[in-house]
Amino acid sequence: MEQHNKTNTLFNSTLFTNECVSSSRIIYTPSPFARSSLLFLQETGALQAKRPHISSRQNLQSYLFFVVLDGEGWLEYNGVKYELSEGDMCFIDCRKGYSQSSSESLWHLNWCHWSGNNMPAVYNKWTERGGKPVFHLDDPAPFVSLLDELYATANGSSFVRDVEINTLLSEMIGLLFQETVYEEGEEREIATGSNTCGSNGERIDISAIKSYIDTHYQEPLSLELLAEHFYFSKHYIARAFKESYGMSVGSYIQIVRVGRAKELLRFSDMSILEVGIASGYEDTNYFSRCFKKVEGMSPSEFRRNWMSGKE
C-alpha cells in the first residue's frame, strides 16, 4: 500500500516550465471513497510567471483558491475584472468561466483546486454571508501555511492521505469563513460578536441576544419582542444576528427549543404535550410540525426510536 502510494505520488508531482511560467504542482487522484464522501484535492502547487500571459478555464467541476505571494496581475470572473497584488487572494467556483493573467510585475502564486459533493452548498453559503471572489488580508500566513501543508501531504506516502487532505481542506474552508466573510467596518464587527453600532449610534452586543434566547426559550419569543427588550429595531437585530450566526432569529429559537425537547423526550417521562410546553410550545400540533421540520420525524417517533435503541 505505501509503495503504491509513493509510486503514484512521484508520478503526480511534477515540475513544469515553458516560456510563460515555471511551476511545481501535484495533480492528485483521490480514491473513489474520497470522491463520494470527502472534500478531495484535484491539484495544488506554486507558480512563478516568467512573462505576462493569460490562462482561461471554464466548466471545471472545481473550486480554486490562490494567494498572490508577490507581483501583480488580474482575474476576470463573473463579468468583473479584479486587479491583484501581493497579499490578495481568490476563491471562485470554476464551473463558471474565468481567466487570470500576470502583469509586467510578474506574479508568484500558491494555489489549490478541490471539490466535494457538498461544495456547491458551501460556496453558496460563503457568498450569502458576504464572501467575495477576491479579498485581501494583511497577514495571509495562515492560508500560505495550509497550502504548504496540503502540498506536503499530497506529496507524501501516508495510506490515509485522503482523510488528511479532507481535514486540511475543511480547515481551509473554516479560515475562509472566519477571515473573509466580513471585511468592512460594521459587518466585520458583528461577525466577531463584538459590540456594534446601530442606526441610532448606540451599541449592541449580538451575543447578548443569543444568550437571552438560550435562557428564555420557554417564554414567548419573537423578533418584535427582542427588539422591544433590547431597544433596537427588529430589522437591525435580524440583519446583525444572521450575519453573526448564519441563521435568522426565528431559526435559532426553533433550534434551541427543539434541542431542549429532544433531551426531555429521551430522558424524561413527560407526555408530548408536557414536553412541548416545557420547550416553549403551547400548541402541541405546532410543536410537532416544528419538531418534524428540524428532525425529519415527529416527537413520538423520535422517542420510540431512542427507546428502541435506534438513532
Side-chain angles (χ1 to χ4, degrees):
M1 176 73 77
E2 290 190 1
Q3 183 60 45
H4 176 72
N5 280 338
K6 288 178 181 177
T7 301
N8 282 343
T9 298
L10 289 173
F11 177 77
N12 287 333
S13 180
T14 60
L15 296 174
F16 173 81
T17 186
N18 62 18
E19 61 182 8
C20 295
V21 301
S22 175
S23 69
S24 59
R25 67 181 65 200
I26 294 174
I27 301 174
Y28 191 80
T29 303
S31 67
F33 166 70
R35 285 186 177 276
S36 65
S37 305
L38 304 176
L39 296 171
F40 60 88
L41 181 66
Q42 296 164 315
E43 182 176 309
T44 185
L47 175 150
Q48 176 65 65
K50 297 168 66 177
R51 74 175 195 181
H53 68 282
I54 299 176
S55 61
S56 301
R57 302 284 188 275
Q58 61 182 351
N59 298 323
L60 295 180
Q61 298 301 307
S62 178
Y63 295 82
L64 169 65
F65 172 80
F66 69 77
V67 54
V68 181
L69 300 179
D70 55 61
E72 297 175 349
W74 294 272
L75 171 77
E76 289 194 39
Y77 178 72
N78 256 357
V80 179
K81 187 171 184 178
Y82 301 90
E83 186 172 352
L84 307 176
S85 59
E86 181 178 349
D88 286 335
M89 303 185 202
C90 163
F91 181 38
I92 59 174
D93 178 354
C94 298
R95 293 176 301 175
K96 302 175 182 179
Y98 72 95
S99 66
Q100 59 193 63
S101 55
S102 176
S103 72
E104 293 288 344
S105 179
L106 302 175
W107 66 9
H108 179 195
L109 310 177
N110 274 17
W111 86 90
C112 68
H113 281 274
W114 81 86
S115 192
N117 286 335
N118 291 329
M119 275 305 300
V122 170
Y123 193 83
N124 286 341
K125 176 59 69 175
W126 187 76
T127 56
E128 284 173 11
R129 297 188 66 188
K132 300 177 177 63
V134 172
F135 52 93
H136 179 88
L137 292 178
D138 292 334
D139 181 17
F143 288 94
V144 175
S145 177
L146 260 179
L147 287 170
D148 289 343
E149 191 171 356
L150 193 59
Y151 188 97
T153 301
N155 201 35
S157 58
S158 170
F159 70 96
V160 292
R161 273 185 303 171
D162 282 338
V163 175
E164 294 169 345
I165 286 170
N166 173 75
T167 299
L168 293 171
L169 291 174
S170 296
E171 190 174 345
M172 178 72 75
I173 291 171
L175 273 180
L176 283 163
F177 271 81
Q178 177 181 340
E179 298 295 340
T180 67
V181 168
Y182 309 96
E183 294 187 82
E184 301 176 43
E186 180 178 305
E187 291 187 350
R188 177 69 178 179
E189 292 175 0
I190 290 171
T192 58
S194 63
N195 291 335
T196 306
C197 293
S199 59
N200 59 3
E202 297 180 26
R203 305 189 73 82
I204 185 171
D205 184 355
I206 297 302
S207 64
I209 295 177
K210 177 179 177 294
S211 297
Y212 185 86
I213 295 171
D214 291 340
T215 56
H216 293 79
Y217 62 87
Q218 291 178 306
E219 304 170 14
L221 284 175
S222 67
L223 189 56
E224 289 75 12
L225 289 172
L226 290 170
E228 183 178 337
H229 180 82
F230 286 94
Y231 302 104
F232 283 87
S233 78
K234 66 179 184 179
H235 303 292
Y236 177 66
I237 290 177
R239 179 178 66 86
F241 194 94
K242 187 166 186 179
E243 287 174 346
S244 186
Y245 297 109
M247 67 182 74
S248 69
V249 170
S251 294
Y252 184 71
I253 292 171
Q254 187 165 280
I255 286 173
V256 171
R257 286 174 168 170
V258 169
R260 176 56 175 160
K262 288 163 63 178
E263 293 180 13
L264 296 173
L265 289 168
R266 288 190 59 191
F267 302 114
S268 81
D269 295 325
M270 289 182 177
S271 67
I272 301 300
L273 173 60
E274 291 170 330
V275 168
I277 293 173
S279 304
Y281 299 97
E282 293 188 1
D283 184 316
T284 304
N285 291 330
Y286 181 63
F287 166 51
S288 295
R289 289 198 303 272
C290 290
F291 191 96
K292 189 168 186 177
K293 183 179 179 180
V294 175
E295 291 296 315
M297 65 183 76
S298 69
S300 56
E301 288 173 322
F302 179 86
R303 172 172 270 174
R304 281 198 303 271
N305 284 347
W306 276 96
M307 294 298 289
S308 64
K310 292 189 242 175
E311 186 172 350

